[in-house]
């Protein structure tokens, strides 16, 4: 019988990796069995390729459905990576022994609780998922066994406990595995006593049964020493591989499991995606810190602080050598107070914040991003099998004659040409999967068929291409899947309306139908009228002008026809009880919807909307700015005559309305109206007739309100309005177009008030002098 040793490790832990390396050097196994996907056994020799630079990941995916996949990341400090390098360097047999993903990714295996389709699966179960705090205690314990030990020891989480007692230890103590094995055995015993069998437990049982089966199979072969490297949680279970009756139990567990055809590939990875913050369940909080621990065990604190100081100096921030020395002393003192042999990351973090960053969070955030999480990118050999999306990206770039180069350059597309249109679709699809290779710019010249891009490729986007394999087998499939996910997660109709235009640009008609369906479903139950109104302008523009990409915009018009009646029906109720800021926002939405409906030129929609505006204009308890704008929009559409608009103006600005209400009403009515007052004689006539009919006392009361409104207009507009009022018999007309002649005496009486209202401006040479005044010495509006 061969000698078997089981090493329970923490995935991506430099302390575990260092202890494992020492243990393997002492044990010298001729067979290494590693927790990992057996579907990728053929790819293990590539680990020794000089072009292979971690962090990298194994991707295992279904051949018929590439988005159903799992990732297995490795860093240089991952114990599994160390084991593979040891085995290849010493000529040992290497095998992965986890339950094959040909089984785990099969459709019939769903009931056993595998990771959700398309999401990266962890390489082990030693770290918690973000949303597991409220789960059953036994399930949380299985997924986070270290959390239980951390709680007993007084640490906030298992990651920090493991870092303090295992990863940050000095030396290479192989006996640590016996202690870990004993701790996990006690935790497993407690978990089994608390609960029965659930889906997660069933899945773990199948995985451990397969690992024990592989171990027994290797034991029957001609090996002298077998080393098993697995997650610490599984170590006690694998130790029962030779227990009485275990063979039959494992065979029964694995019997009848479904299978599917899978493929595997190596892919570049990044420390950012290796971190727990990325959502990777078996990730670590500080990949770059662990890299420093792995590569620079001696004087790691001084080296890390020196790197932090260099990083700050590169950003033109003060970080003197004296500050670094003080930080190192402070970190050592903090470690001593806390009973540690050497400073941990928490100690260094506090020391750097106090002595290098002076309690400023901004520099500390930079250190966190660069030296705690890190921005390191991995690489794979050029001849290694690629992921499906990588292959599709390379083929598409070749067919479209696009080269991913770091050298920036401009690209102008003519969307009337098939190749340029396909390029536009491709760049827009890349945007949807988080790869902004091209940035849209304003195209020079006339014509909507032109599209300008600024192209600049970044090496880290290779990792994003790999990650996109979880959403589809091609760039188009991945982009469509991302959009469908965003549509499912969207909480507002306006978010969904913005997605529709993006889909037309990317030519993803299938996903567009799903988004439109989601938009209609959300709009049908939405009680937020303003949300519906925000969704209308972009949709109306798409429906009216279509797309130079020859996309079908008919469904978009159908959505608009469904949204307008809903928005109109709830408009008056939505505008009740608004403060000044909310009223300004509501007015902007009303103007946007009005412009969208005018753009479509559909009489039925316009009639529905105008009826809603009439109801709003008749309200006495709605904010005056909203009511004033509703009246103005109806007047501009000739749904109100000049006489009707004047009556509403007089009523709104009467003494009974109150000063604040009157000010808001006139502001809503005249806001952004400078050009209309200059060139549209009818509106100026309404305003002039109302002003002319005021008595002196009421005029003085309303003057500040008018001055406030006119002050929002540009100086040139105010001057032009004054000139229009001074021109004899022009610029002011009624509906029939008849002109009125100014009375000089009445004009002389109103000029001082107009100066206060419009500001002192020099009159133009063509202005008609008013009797009783010297035009050479008197400024006129």
């Amino acid at each position: 019988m061969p000698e078997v040793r089981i090493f329970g490790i923490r995935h991506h832990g430099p302390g575990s990796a260092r202890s494992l390396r020492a243990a393997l050097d002492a044990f010298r196994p001729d067979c290494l069995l590693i927790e990992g996907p057996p579907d990728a056994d053929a790819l293990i020799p590539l680990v020794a390729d000089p072009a292979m630079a971690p962090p990298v990941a194994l991707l295992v995916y279904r051949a018929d459905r590439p988005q159903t996949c799992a990732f297995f990341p490795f860093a240089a400090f991952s114990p599994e990576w160390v084991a593979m390098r040891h085995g290849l360097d010493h000529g040992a047999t290497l095998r992965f022994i986890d339950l094959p993903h040909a089984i785990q990714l099969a459709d019939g295996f769903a009931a056993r609780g595998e990771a959700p389709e398309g999401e990266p699966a962890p390489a082990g179960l030693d770290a918690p998922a973000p949303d597991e705090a409220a789960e059953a205690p036994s399930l949380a314990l299985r997924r986070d066994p270290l959390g239980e030990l951390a709680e007993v020891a007084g640490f906030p989480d298992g990651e920090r406990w493991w870092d303090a007692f295992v990863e940050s230890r000095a030396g290479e103590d192989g006996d640590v595995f016996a202690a870990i094995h004993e701790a996990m055995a006690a935790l497993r015993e407690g978990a089994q006593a608390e609960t029965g069998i659930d889906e997660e437990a069933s899945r773990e049982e199948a995985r451990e049964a397969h690992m024990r089966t592989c171990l027994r199979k290797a034991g029957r072969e001609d090996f002298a020493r077998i080393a098993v490297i697995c997650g610490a949680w599984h170590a006690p279970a694998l130790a029962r591989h030779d227990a009485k009756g275990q063979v039959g139990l494992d065979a029964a567990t694995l019997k009848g499991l479904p299978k599917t055809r899978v493929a595997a590939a190596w892919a570049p990875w990044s420390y950012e995606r290796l971190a727990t913050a990325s959502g990777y369940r078996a990730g670590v909080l500080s990949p770059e810190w662990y890299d420093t621990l792995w590569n620079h065990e001696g004087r790691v604190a001084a080296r890390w602080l020196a790197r932090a100081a260099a990083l700050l100096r590169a950003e033109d921030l003060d970080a003197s050598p004296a500050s670094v020395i003080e930080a190192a002393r402070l970190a050592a003192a903090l470690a001593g107070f806390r009973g540690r042999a050497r400073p941990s990351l928490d100690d260094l973090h506090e020391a750097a914040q106090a002595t290098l960053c002076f309690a400023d969070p901004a520099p500390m955030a930079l250190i966190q991003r660069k030296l705690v999480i890190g921005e390191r990118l991995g690489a794979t050999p050029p001849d290694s099998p690629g992921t499906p999306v990588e292959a599709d990206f390379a083929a598409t770039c070749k067919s479209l004659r696009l080269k991913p180069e770091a050298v920036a350059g401009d690209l102008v597309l003519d969307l009337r040409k098939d190749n340029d249109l396909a390029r536009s679709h491709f760049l827009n699809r890349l945007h949807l999967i988080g790869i902004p290779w091209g940035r849209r710019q304003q195209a020079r010249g006339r014509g909507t068929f032109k599209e300008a891009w600024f192209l600049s490729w970044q090496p880290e986007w290779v990792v994003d291409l790999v990650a996109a394999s979880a959403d589809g087998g091609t760039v188009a499939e991945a982009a469509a899947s991302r959009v469908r996910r965003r549509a499912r997660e969207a909480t507002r109709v306006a978010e969904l309306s913005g997605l529709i235009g993006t889909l037309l640009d990317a030519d993803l008609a299938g996903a567009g139908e799903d988004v439109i369906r989601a938009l209609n479903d959300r709009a049908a139950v939405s009680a937020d009228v303003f949300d519906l109104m925000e969704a209308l302008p972009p949709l109306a523009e798409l429906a009216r002008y279509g797309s130079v990409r020859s996309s079908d915009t008919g469904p978009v018009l159908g959505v608009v026809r469904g949204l307008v009646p809903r928005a109109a029906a709830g408009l008056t109720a939505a505008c009740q009880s608004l403060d000044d800021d909310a009223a300004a926002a509501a007015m902007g939405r009303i103007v946007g919807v009005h412009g969208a409906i005018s753009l479509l030129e559909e009489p039925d929609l316009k009639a529905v909307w105008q009826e809603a505006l009439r109801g709003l204009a008749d309200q006495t308890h709605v904010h005056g700015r909203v009511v004033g704008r509703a009246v103005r929009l109806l007047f501009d559409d000739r749904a109100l005559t000049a006489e009707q608009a004047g009556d509403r103006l007089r009523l709104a600005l009467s003494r009974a309305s109150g000063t604040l209400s009157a000010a808001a009403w006139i502001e809503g009515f005249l806001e952004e109206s400078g050009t209309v007052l200059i060139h549209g004689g009818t509106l100026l006539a309404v305003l002039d007739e109302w002003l002319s009919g005021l008595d002196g006392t009421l005029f003085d009361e309303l003057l500040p309100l008018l001055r406030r409104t006119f002050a929002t207009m540009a100086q040139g507009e105010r001057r032009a309005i004054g000139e229009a009022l001074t021109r004899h018999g022009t610029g002011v007309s009624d509906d029939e177009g008849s002109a009125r002649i100014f009375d000089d005496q009445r004009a002389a009486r109103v000029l001082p008030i107009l100066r206060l209202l419009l500001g002192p401006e020099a009159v133009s040479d063509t202005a008609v002098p008013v009797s009783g005044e010297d035009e050479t010495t008197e400024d006129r509006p």
Side-chain angles (χ1 to χ4, degrees):
M1 288 289 294
E3 183 180 359
V4 177
R5 291 190 185 178
I6 299 174
F7 301 98
I9 50 90
R10 167 70 167 99
H11 304 293
H12 318 304
S16 293
R18 189 175 294 111
S19 296
L20 177 65
R21 182 176 59 187
L24 293 178
D25 287 340
F27 184 45
R28 302 186 63 81
D30 53 356
C31 176
L32 286 92
L33 305 179
I34 303 171
E35 180 186 340
D39 322 82
D41 276 350
L43 300 180
I44 292 178
L46 289 174
V47 170
D49 193 302
M52 182 75 78
V56 293
L58 274 174
L59 170 65
V60 182
Y61 59 94
R62 284 183 56 157
D64 61 335
R65 199 166 65 209
Q67 64 269 28
T68 304
C69 62
F71 291 95
F72 296 84
F74 300 96
F77 51 79
S78 299
E80 299 94 336
W81 185 266
V82 171
M84 286 188 284
R85 290 303 305 259
H86 183 280
L88 292 171
D89 291 343
H90 293 81
T93 299
L94 287 167
R95 294 173 186 171
F96 286 133
I97 60 171
D98 203 347
L99 185 67
H101 273 64
I103 295 174
Q104 296 197 51
L105 299 181
D107 292 334
F109 196 70
R112 293 180 174 266
E114 82 278 16
E117 177 180 311
E119 294 185 2
L125 298 174
D126 296 333
D131 57 348
E132 290 166 2
E135 291 182 341
S138 59
L139 180 56
L141 178 60
R142 284 198 304 272
R143 294 185 173 181
D144 185 22
L146 303 182
E148 186 80 6
L149 298 176
E151 183 178 355
V152 174
F155 284 80
D157 54 59
E159 176 78 13
R160 286 177 172 82
W161 177 88
W162 186 272
D163 178 70
F165 286 97
V166 179
E167 307 307 343
S168 297
R169 291 180 308 105
E172 300 176 341
D173 184 7
D175 292 341
V176 69
F177 295 109
I180 292 173
H181 185 102
E182 183 179 354
M184 293 299 113
L187 289 174
R188 288 181 67 101
E189 183 178 351
Q192 293 170 358
E194 291 179 6
T195 185
I197 299 298
D198 56 21
E199 290 184 355
E200 183 70 18
S202 177
R203 175 175 180 268
E204 292 307 299
E205 183 182 353
R207 293 181 61 204
E208 291 171 350
H210 189 272
M211 286 191 269
R212 285 191 294 264
T213 301
C214 292
L215 177 52
R216 287 191 294 267
K217 179 182 177 182
R220 294 191 296 269
E221 299 180 38
D222 191 20
F223 296 122
R225 294 173 297 279
I226 299 176
V228 181
I229 295 89
C230 63
W233 178 257
H234 304 300
L238 300 193
R240 303 196 312 267
H241 67 95
D242 56 354
K244 185 177 180 180
Q246 192 64 54
V247 175
L249 292 174
D250 291 344
T253 300
L254 298 174
K255 184 178 180 180
L257 294 180
K259 288 187 179 181
T260 188
R261 193 157 89 49
V262 298
W266 281 110
W269 211 242
S270 68
Y271 277 176
E272 183 180 4
R273 290 189 176 274
L274 191 66
T276 306
S278 69
Y280 171 46
R281 205 176 78 191
V284 292
L285 294 174
S286 47
E288 184 65 31
W289 164 248
Y290 276 5
D291 186 275
T292 304
L293 286 176
W294 173 249
N295 291 303
H296 308 284
E297 182 183 359
R299 300 183 60 81
V300 64
R303 180 177 182 85
W304 189 86
L305 289 170
R307 291 180 63 194
L311 179 63
L312 295 177
R313 286 194 292 268
E315 298 294 328
D316 293 329
L317 298 173
D318 291 336
S320 67
S323 297
V324 176
I325 294 172
E326 288 302 317
R329 290 173 176 171
L330 179 57
L334 290 172
F337 290 146
R338 292 162 177 165
R340 296 171 181 154
R342 63 181 182 179
S344 69
L345 180 60
D346 289 339
D347 301 325
L348 293 171
H349 186 281
E350 294 177 14
Q353 191 166 25
T355 61
L356 295 178
C357 301
F358 306 103
D360 187 348
M364 204 63 226
L366 177 65
I367 293 175
Q368 173 76 17
R369 187 176 71 252
K370 298 277 190 178
L371 300 184
V372 177
I373 294 179
E375 298 178 341
R376 192 182 302 267
L377 298 174
T380 57
D383 56 346
S384 68
T387 63
V389 175
E390 284 182 292
D392 176 70
F393 174 81
T396 305
C397 287
K398 183 177 180 180
S399 65
L400 297 179
R401 297 190 296 278
L402 290 172
K403 292 183 178 180
E405 297 175 335
V407 179
D410 293 317
L411 178 67
V412 178
L413 303 178
D414 184 344
L415 301 181
R416 297 171 298 181
K417 300 178 179 179
D418 292 341
N419 190 68
D420 283 1
L421 181 60
R423 286 178 170 183
S424 176
H425 291 158
F426 183 59
L427 293 173
N428 279 291
R429 290 169 183 174
L430 289 175
H431 262 273
L432 290 174
I433 61 175
I435 301 177
W437 181 10
R439 296 197 307 271
R440 290 278 288 270
Q441 294 183 317
Q442 184 67 35
R444 296 181 179 180
R446 297 181 178 180
T448 58
F449 55 85
K450 286 186 178 180
E451 193 173 79
W453 294 82
F454 180 77
L455 302 185
S456 179
W457 179 259
Q458 301 298 323
E460 61 266 23
W461 290 337
V462 174
V463 178
D464 295 309
L465 277 175
V466 173
S469 297
D471 297 299
T474 65
V475 172
E477 290 177 2
S481 179
R482 294 276 179 95
V483 170
R484 290 188 180 99
R485 185 188 307 163
R486 288 170 59 185
R488 290 193 300 268
E489 296 172 351
T491 58
R492 303 177 64 246
V493 176
E495 295 178 47
L496 294 169
S497 70
L499 286 178
I500 294 177
T502 304
L503 289 171
L504 290 178
D505 289 345
D507 191 31
L508 299 173
E513 295 175 0
D514 295 337
V515 174
I516 289 176
R517 189 180 305 110
L519 191 152
N520 284 326
D521 294 342
R522 186 65 51 82
V525 299
S526 177
D528 189 347
V529 175
F530 290 152
D531 182 26
L532 301 180
M533 294 171 67
E534 288 181 15
L536 277 168
L539 292 176
E541 186 173 354
L542 281 174
R544 176 67 177 85
Y545 295 119
S547 170
V548 292
R549 295 171 176 80
S550 303
S551 302
D552 182 16
T553 58
V556 178
L557 183 57
V559 171
V560 174
R561 288 170 177 163
L563 290 181
V564 171
R566 294 190 181 104
L571 179 62
T572 300
C575 291
Q576 302 289 333
S577 304
L578 301 178
D579 60 16
D580 291 343
D581 293 338
M587 190 189 73
R589 297 184 182 102
I590 291 171
V591 171
V593 173
H594 188 82
I597 293 174
S598 300
L599 189 67
L600 291 175
E601 298 180 348
E602 292 214 354
D604 293 341
L605 293 182
K606 191 169 187 178
V608 170
W609 180 246
Q610 286 185 349
E611 188 63 30
L613 289 179
R614 286 182 183 277
L616 188 60
D618 292 335
Q619 296 295 310
T620 57
H621 300 293
V622 173
H623 197 283
R625 195 172 179 184
V626 175
V627 175
R629 178 53 62 170
V631 173
R632 170 64 186 282
L633 293 175
L634 290 170
F635 176 68
D636 288 346
D637 279 352
R638 300 184 182 275
L640 290 178
T641 64
E643 182 179 357
Q644 291 172 325
D647 291 342
R648 291 177 181 271
L649 181 63
R650 281 187 287 273
L651 180 62
L653 300 184
S654 64
R655 285 193 178 93
S657 299
T659 304
L660 294 178
S661 177
W665 199 99
I666 193 63
E667 184 178 3
F669 186 76
L670 292 180
E671 191 171 2
E672 300 178 355
S673 300
T675 304
V676 179
L677 287 171
I678 296 168
H679 302 289
T682 305
L683 181 60
L684 189 57
V686 170
L687 186 62
D688 179 67
E689 184 177 355
W690 167 69
L691 281 171
S692 301
L694 298 177
D695 59 54
T697 303
L698 183 57
F699 184 87
D700 290 341
E701 292 178 4
L702 295 177
L703 177 61
L705 309 183
L706 292 170
R707 183 173 180 82
R708 168 184 162 180
T709 301
F710 276 90
T712 62
M713 300 179 186
Q715 182 178 1
E717 292 179 341
R718 296 200 304 268
R719 181 187 299 113
I721 293 171
E723 292 174 354
L725 289 171
T726 60
R727 283 195 294 270
H728 184 72
T730 62
V732 180
S733 59
D734 55 17
D735 287 338
E736 288 74 23
S738 62
R740 293 191 290 108
I741 305 300
F742 286 117
D743 183 272
D744 291 346
Q745 298 299 327
R746 292 179 63 194
R749 291 195 297 272
V750 81
L751 278 176
I753 302 300
L754 287 176
R755 288 194 188 94
L756 295 175
L757 184 66
L758 303 177
E761 299 290 346
V763 71
S764 66
D765 295 338
T766 59
V768 178
V770 180
S771 62
E773 295 187 359
D774 184 358
E775 63 175 322
T776 63
T777 60
E778 187 79 2
D779 289 334
R780 290 183 172 82

